[in-house]
Amino acid sequence: MKRIKLTALCLTAVLAAVSFSGCSEKAGTSQETTEVSEAVTEAVTERELTQEQKDAAKEKCISEERYCVDNSYILSKSEEMLKIYYEGITEADHDKCFEVFPDFYKKAVEKENVEYGETNEEYMQSLKDGLAEKFGDDFYIFPSLSSVLQLSDESLKEMEVSINSSFSSDIKLKDGYIVYFSETTRGKLDKQTQALHFLVLNIDDNYYLYDDYYENVENN
């Protein structure tokens, strides 16, 4: 069955693909938020961890070099990417929708469209038409972020291996997070809100949205 690449209709549970085994039951750092900071820094600056932070990193099986002490940048970046993603859906714009995903993922989407006899434009229009039919032609979608979980070192490595195996790629994951959010779709005919999550991966110092759909289907 072809994947519906729209979280309002179907989103694979990325948590199921990530093993959280390690030196403790806690796989990473989690931070609740009610408002995403507008001040976005370009990168995490070099800093010396306090002893308490070092202990927390060890407990959560995250190296001191990776350990995130402030998730505001990740939350802000995630909000920015989700906004672009949903704008792409509402505008039926394939390139805009998937520009926030890694290139190998976007190519997999395009390959799947060809296999199902659709152009990228036809595929996106069919998604938009389906949403308009359910919610009304004035529908819009907006996400509201709630928390972020940093992957443990072991989970990050397992994710890297799984991606490279599934996509015949050779990427190196510098960091990874699970971002939790609520997605609301609203129009004159209906309204729907549900709790969802995406992976946010750092590849070559660039952040991307990601889900594990293509790790669970045959792509050849």
Side-chain angles (χ1 to χ4, degrees):
M1 179 178 179
K2 184 177 181 182
R3 176 183 189 266
I4 300 175
K5 291 169 281 291
L6 175 62
T7 54
L9 301 178
C10 177
L11 178 64
T12 55
V14 295
L15 280 173
V18 181
S19 171
F20 291 112
S21 58
C23 54
S24 79
E25 294 180 357
K26 298 180 181 179
T29 57
S30 180
Q31 175 177 313
E32 297 293 332
T33 181
T34 56
E35 180 179 355
V36 179
S37 172
E38 294 181 357
V40 179
T41 57
E42 289 299 320
V44 177
T45 56
E46 292 294 329
R47 74 278 190 272
E48 182 70 25
L49 297 182
T50 65
Q51 187 58 50
E52 182 179 359
Q53 290 168 340
K54 290 179 180 180
D55 292 342
K58 182 178 181 180
E59 177 188 0
K60 300 174 190 303
C61 305
I62 300 174
S63 64
E64 293 182 11
E65 291 76 16
R66 283 187 55 231
Y67 186 67
C68 183
V69 298
D70 182 0
N71 289 328
S72 60
Y73 174 72
I74 300 302
L75 287 164
S76 294
K77 186 64 179 176
S78 299
E79 183 183 49
E80 174 190 330
M81 292 190 294
L82 284 169
K83 180 180 179 182
I84 293 171
Y85 172 68
Y86 286 119
E87 285 178 351
I89 291 172
T90 57
E91 297 168 11
D93 187 329
H94 180 273
D95 289 341
K96 186 173 188 177
C97 182
F98 291 104
E99 72 177 50
V100 292
F101 287 79
D103 286 344
F104 61 80
Y105 190 98
K106 184 176 180 181
K107 290 177 181 177
V109 174
E110 294 169 349
K111 177 184 176 183
E112 188 177 43
N113 289 339
V114 171
E115 291 172 348
Y116 279 84
E118 290 183 312
T119 65
N120 296 333
E121 293 73 21
E122 289 171 339
Y123 169 70
M124 294 303 298
Q125 190 61 50
S126 69
L127 288 181
K128 181 176 180 179
D129 291 345
L131 286 165
E133 181 178 358
K134 176 176 174 58
F135 296 98
D137 56 16
D138 63 337
F139 81 90
Y140 61 96
I141 311 170
F142 61 91
S144 178
L145 279 69
S146 56
S147 63
V148 59
L149 174 75
Q150 186 176 22
L151 299 182
S152 68
D153 291 350
E154 182 177 353
S155 297
L156 188 70
K157 184 60 180 178
E158 290 176 355
M159 180 62 65
E160 179 181 282
V161 170
S162 181
I163 289 173
N164 286 332
S165 175
S166 299
F167 294 92
S168 299
S169 57
D170 188 28
I171 65 162
K172 301 295 183 184
L173 294 182
K174 186 173 182 178
D175 211 344
Y177 301 81
I178 298 173
V179 175
Y180 298 88
F181 62 100
S182 62
E183 173 205 84
T184 298
T185 307
R186 184 195 299 265
K188 60 186 177 183
L189 299 180
D190 201 1
K191 174 186 175 182
Q192 174 181 289
T193 298
Q194 58 182 336
L196 297 170
H197 52 265
F198 260 124
L199 278 164
V200 172
L201 303 179
N202 184 326
I203 305 173
D204 296 329
D205 290 324
N206 293 308
Y207 286 94
Y208 301 95
L209 294 181
Y210 181 75
D211 71 54
D212 69 342
Y213 170 76
Y214 289 108
E215 296 178 48
N216 298 309
V217 297
E218 184 177 358
N219 293 298
N220 298 321

